[in-house]
Amino acid sequence: MTGTPPAPDLPEGLTVEALQQLCVRFATEAARFIRDERPERVGVAATKSSETDVVTVMDRRSEELLHRLIQQARPDDGILGEEGADVAGTSGLTWVIDPIDGTVNYLYEVPAYAVSVAVVVGDAHSQGGWVPVAGAVADPSLRLVHHAGRGRGAWTGPEDPASGDEPLRLSVSGEDRLGRTLLATGFGYDPQVRARQAEVLLRVLPLVRDIRRIGSAALDLVRVAEGSVDAYAETGLNAWDLAAGWLIVLEAGGVVLGAGEGEASAPGKALTVAAGPALAPEVRRLFVTTGDAAG
Ligand code: LIP
């Protein structure tokens, strides 16, 4: 068992373990699809919040695949997806999906993108109104799947279970000093937001060991859970960017914070900070006091 609070009540006969296995299966199938069915040339199918906030045909096809898999297995659940899926459910559970997290990396064939699938309880549309109970982040480039279930720990396993590679249990780094912290972060698609984020970086950089910009929030959170970075902080994230990674960090002994107290204490657009219990409040203070935690 882990230190995280027990899973909220699930529908009759449904276990966290079963939901975790579904997350792994769905994320793995979509990860294989975006890797093995990648067209010769992947172009920009559309743009969203800005000219650089791109969507490829594979983002859409991966979301369609996930939507189909979820509705076949869990027809009464809701679905909230980055590329527009928004299905209201009746079961009290909602699947929060990012069909390709790190789309710009996918477009440029930089091997740092992932499929993120989580199941949450509560209102997935409202800040602070939901919590994850199971989640998986599949990394098609490394053929790995990172996953967690409430109270069941966080794990990394091979994409192909038949490979015989043993799953590894994840735990966050024990770093507790800001000055020695390897900090992952990211930047939005809006030039004005980026200008503000750059100003914050100017103040943060002298106070930490170094910065890593991986380009996928889901993989940044996995890096915190496995201890390959000490902390992660970013503003402007949506539920689908962080839902699965949030639980993977919690089940690896870390904490994930938002910008403020009460509902604002949950990770979200204003701020998402992930690190070990000793370091996370310090990193949050850094981003809150340096004035970026308002997005
Ligand atoms: C990305 C996030 C990343 C952030 C990018 C972008 P997308 O999500 O995972 O952390 O820095 O700006 O939002 O758009 O690739 O799903």
Side-chain angles (χ1 to χ4, degrees):
M1 297 297 283
T2 64
T4 49
D9 293 344
L10 296 176
E12 187 73 28
L14 187 59
T15 63
V16 170
E17 183 179 4
L19 289 172
Q20 191 176 349
Q21 287 166 354
L22 286 177
C23 287
V24 169
R25 178 157 71 83
F26 299 158
T28 300
E29 200 161 327
R32 283 197 179 113
F33 172 73
I34 63 173
R35 181 191 60 230
D36 302 343
E37 306 301 325
R38 181 191 175 99
E40 193 65 29
R41 280 178 47 72
V42 173
V44 173
T47 59
K48 298 186 283 188
S49 63
S50 79
E51 189 197 4
T52 58
D53 184 2
V54 300
V55 183
T56 73
V57 65
M58 293 303 278
D59 290 86
R60 291 178 174 158
R61 293 176 62 193
S62 174
E63 182 153 308
E64 286 156 14
L65 170 62
L66 288 168
H67 194 147
R68 199 167 52 248
L69 293 170
I70 293 165
Q71 290 218 309
Q72 280 162 1
R74 301 280 316 157
D76 301 334
D77 295 355
I79 303 174
L80 176 63
E82 175 169 10
E83 304 313 336
D86 196 356
V87 177
T90 56
S91 65
L93 298 177
T94 300
W95 294 77
V96 179
I97 57 176
D98 193 333
I100 304 182
D101 187 52
T103 298
V104 172
N105 285 344
Y106 184 78
L107 185 67
Y108 283 79
E109 294 195 71
V110 174
Y113 49 84
V115 175
S116 178
V117 174
V119 186
V120 312
V121 293
D123 175 5
H125 297 80
S126 72
Q127 164 65 32
W130 58 276
V131 291
V133 291
V137 172
D139 181 340
S141 309
L142 296 180
R143 296 174 186 264
L144 294 174
V145 186
H146 316 278
H147 55 96
R150 223 166 242 279
R152 296 174 47 79
W155 305 83
T156 292
E159 180 186 280
D160 176 9
S163 72
D165 295 348
E166 281 303 307
L168 284 177
R169 184 151 194 170
L170 303 181
S171 60
V172 297
S173 91
E175 185 53 68
D176 60 3
R177 287 238 349 262
L178 204 54
R180 288 195 309 241
T181 292
L182 185 60
L183 175 71
T185 191
F187 313 104
Y189 290 117
D190 177 320
Q192 286 168 339
V193 170
R194 297 170 72 79
R196 264 207 312 277
Q197 291 171 321
E199 283 163 22
V200 169
L201 203 53
L202 270 178
R203 290 192 287 275
V204 166
L205 208 46
L207 304 174
V208 297
R209 175 194 296 272
D210 203 347
I211 294 285
R212 290 293 177 270
R213 197 315 189 224
I214 294 164
S216 158
L219 291 179
D220 285 322
L221 290 162
V222 165
R223 297 284 178 273
V224 171
E226 68 185 14
S228 58
V229 297
D230 301 307
Y232 166 62
E234 185 164 359
T235 58
L237 296 184
N238 297 289
W240 44 76
D241 295 315
L242 62 93
W246 175 5
L247 186 64
I248 292 171
V249 170
L250 287 184
E251 290 294 326
V255 295
V256 182
L257 306 173
E261 305 308 321
E263 285 188 348
S265 66
K269 273 211 179 292
L271 182 64
T272 296
V273 167
L279 191 55
E282 272 210 71
V283 174
R284 174 167 68 174
R285 204 175 301 115
L286 190 60
F287 278 76
V288 168
T289 51
T290 49
D292 190 32

